[in-house]
Amino acid sequence: MGDTNMKKYYQRLDRIDQTHRQLARGYVTEVTDDGLIVHRPRRIRRGLPWRGVLFVLVMLMIFKAFLLAYIGDLEYASRVAALEAGGTVEQIGAFVMRADPVTQYVANLMAPYIK
């Protein structure tokens, strides 16, 4: 008799501890239809931070355009060619730093302000 009740008691304690740990990471307060104030654990969003990835890509594009506008097309192409002749990491860098049409367009827009 006591064993079943103790098992339910410990299960309830485990649920309360789990809810407390979840609430400690953040919660949202809601008022239900009957006026009861309830705290619900905030959902943890997992996944790729798309805003951050997009920001890094845009900054890389601006950096490439700045370099292209500052040192010129021929010098930039020779430096990328030197990277392509290097090891694996340098080849990956050359692929990333290759002047694409968007980079060239932005570099042409930036060129009068840089030189």
Side-chain angles (χ1 to χ4, degrees):
M1 177 171 114
D3 186 35
T4 306
N5 289 334
M6 289 302 289
K7 184 177 178 183
K8 289 181 183 178
Y9 173 74
Y10 285 121
Q11 287 174 345
R12 178 166 164 68
L13 282 180
D14 288 341
R15 279 195 320 268
I16 290 171
D17 285 341
Q18 179 182 2
T19 304
H20 184 263
R21 281 192 303 271
Q22 290 174 345
L23 290 172
R25 287 181 289 204
Y27 59 89
V28 177
T29 304
E30 299 175 349
V31 179
T32 60
D33 293 336
D34 60 356
L36 182 64
I37 299 173
V38 179
H39 301 292
R40 299 197 190 281
R42 184 175 303 229
R43 261 190 351 183
I44 297 174
R45 294 180 56 188
R46 295 185 185 184
L48 196 60
W50 291 107
R51 244 192 238 171
V53 171
L54 182 64
F55 178 75
V56 168
L57 290 176
V58 168
M59 292 308 293
L60 178 66
M61 188 70 63
I62 291 172
F63 176 70
K64 285 171 40 176
F66 174 77
L67 284 178
L68 185 61
Y70 186 72
I71 64 175
D73 293 335
L74 295 176
E75 180 66 24
Y76 189 84
S78 69
R79 290 184 186 192
V80 171
L83 282 176
E84 286 175 347
T88 306
V89 175
E90 285 88 1
Q91 290 175 357
I92 292 171
F95 177 77
V96 170
M97 294 302 289
R98 189 177 307 147
D100 52 270
V102 175
T103 304
Q104 291 174 345
Y105 176 74
V106 174
N108 289 337
L109 291 177
M110 293 172 74
Y113 301 106
I114 292 176
K115 292 184 179 182

